[in-house]
Amino acid sequence: MGELLIGALLIYTGYQIGWKENIHFLHPYHWRNIPQENQKSFCRKMGMGSVAVGLGIFCMPLLNATIGFNVGYYLGCAAILLGCGFMAYTVLRYNGSLFAFHKK
């Protein structure tokens, strides 16, 4: 049950970030320092990554209950890794680094 709630929350958050372009769901650094012309594509990519992670978590128990054999965990982990990788790539592309920010 917890996986369904966490997955649904991440899907909602990804939708708000990626499709509603609500950058305030992200860390304040992004809505202060990402240039206005890059915010739309940054939001879209971060939202897509968050939705992928959310779908991976949300589908885990559903697939395990319907298919069995822990297939949901394998597919869910693949979606989580894909989403996290896509978000890490996006942060690297727009910020220059995962943990340290480039200077303007």
Side-chain angles (χ1 to χ4, degrees), residues 16-26 43:
Q16 285 294 318
I17 294 168
W19 285 267
K20 295 290 188 171
E21 297 175 15
N22 193 347
I23 199 166
H24 295 286
F25 274 86
L26 297 172
C43 283

Side-chain angles (χ1 to χ4, degrees), residues 24-96:
H24 295 286
F25 274 86
L26 297 172
H27 191 274
Y29 170 83
H30 300 301
W31 41 274
R32 288 187 199 133
N33 297 324
I34 299 292
Q36 187 70 29
E37 63 271 6
N38 291 341
Q39 283 186 1
K40 185 173 183 167
S41 73
F42 180 80
C43 283
R44 177 59 57 112
K45 291 175 183 173
M46 291 299 284
M48 288 170 37
S50 180
V51 167
V53 171
L55 284 174
I57 293 171
F58 188 83
C59 291
M60 277 184 193
L62 300 177
L63 289 172
N64 284 340
T66 56
I67 298 173
F69 304 111
N70 294 330
V71 171
Y73 293 124
Y74 298 121
L75 295 176
C77 286
I80 292 168
L81 289 174
L82 179 70
C84 286
F86 192 68
M87 287 190 288
Y89 167 77
T90 302
V91 169
L92 281 170
R93 180 170 178 221
Y94 288 95
N95 291 340

